[in-house]
Amino acid sequence: MIIAIDGTTASGKGTIAKRLAARYGLPHMDTGRLYRATAVAAIKQGVALDDAARLATIAARLDLTHFDEAELRTGEAGKAASKVAVIPEVRQALFDLQRAFAIQASGALLDGRDIGTVIAPDADVKLWVDANVEQRGYRRWREYLGYGQAITLEEVVKQLRIRDERDQSRKDAPATIATDAVLIDTTDLTIDAAVEKAIAAVEAVLARGKTV
Ligand code: DC
């Protein structure tokens, strides 16, 4: 079974993805990490975030074991990731890796922005996870405080709006809802309740005879 989980930044999709992957014993790929790692490596090597050729080379040679998780999780890395993700050559360089992961014999779960539309349009379950921007901003702001990053809630919400706009308006593989995706709005849901909805979507497909 292939499960595709797409959605907006700080919607809860990452947590839902981890919990579903554990429940169904599926290997999980957080595809945002690929874009974050490409961006972080570029910044370290002094490569401009619009240098398509050099960014594509970095993306094609990514060794994810070289990255420190905390370094990939910063707001700066997320913002830079969203910029490099606009570049078709970068997306192309990361495509094969993601596609191969999606079609492995054991099944797979991938989360990102274009999994249900571009990487695995053939996925058995597609979820689109979203929440209103104020709620997402509040969650992200609390995380930043936890890491000791000084930033105002207003600034976090502003940054999320910019990220949403960039991710959704890019020409190549924009973050869009697949026509056959199940929508989960987590604005007023606890994480447990959101995970329950995601499980229900998987169970509906299993009930039709698909196996994990
Ligand atoms: O999910 P995230 O915040 O880690 O993603 C960081 C950026 O990477 C996001 O702003 C857009 C980009 N991205 C993408 O374009 N396609 C994906 N499948 C995953 C992430």
Side-chain angles (χ1 to χ4, degrees):
M1 165 179 276
I2 303 177
I3 302 181
I5 305 186
D6 294 300
T8 49
T9 304
S11 60
K13 74 180 156 51
T15 308
I16 293 174
K18 281 193 203 105
R19 301 260 292 259
L20 276 196
R23 181 181 175 104
Y24 293 103
L26 292 170
H28 170 211
M29 179 182 267
D30 164 5
T31 63
R33 272 186 96 226
L34 306 176
Y35 293 91
R36 287 172 182 264
T38 301
V40 167
I43 292 167
K44 281 190 178 160
Q45 294 172 31
V47 172
L49 296 180
D50 59 358
D51 185 337
R54 293 183 69 191
L55 289 168
T57 304
I58 292 173
R61 294 182 186 157
L62 266 190
D63 175 1
L64 285 168
T65 56
H66 272 137
F67 293 90
D68 166 35
E69 199 56 34
E71 190 177 42
L72 296 182
R73 288 290 135 214
T74 65
E76 272 314 300
K79 182 174 160 190
S82 166
K83 288 186 182 168
V84 304
V86 167
I87 300 172
E89 290 87 341
V90 170
R91 305 199 72 83
Q92 186 55 45
L94 295 173
F95 179 87
D96 290 346
L97 186 68
Q98 296 175 81
R99 182 67 192 158
F101 192 89
I103 61 173
Q104 61 189 300
S106 56
L109 181 151
L110 294 87
D111 78 88
R113 300 289 186 296
D114 63 339
I115 309 304
T117 49
V118 175
I119 304 297
D122 50 344
D124 303 290
V125 180
K126 297 182 187 179
L127 304 178
W128 178 269
V129 186
D130 200 0
N132 76 30
V133 73
E134 288 78 16
Q135 181 62 29
R136 291 188 286 123
Y138 180 70
R139 291 175 188 160
R140 197 36 68 90
W141 176 66
R142 295 256 315 244
E143 277 174 31
Y144 286 152
L145 292 189
Y147 298 140
Q149 254 183 281
I151 187 163
T152 64
L153 174 59
E154 290 69 27
E155 181 57 28
V156 176
V157 170
K158 193 176 128 195
Q159 287 180 6
L160 281 183
R161 286 189 202 280
I162 296 171
R163 283 271 292 282
D164 287 354
E165 167 61 21
R166 196 186 294 121
D167 292 346
Q168 287 159 16
S169 67
R170 67 174 178 237
K171 289 204 180 64
D172 190 19
T176 41
I177 309 176
T179 48
D180 47 352
V182 172
L183 307 190
I184 300 181
D185 183 336
T186 66
T187 307
D188 298 316
L189 295 181
T190 61
I191 190 64
D192 285 342
V195 170
E196 282 307 315
K197 282 192 183 259
I199 290 172
V202 178
E203 292 297 323
V205 171
L206 292 174
R208 293 202 292 270
K210 179 79 199 172
T211 50
V212 176

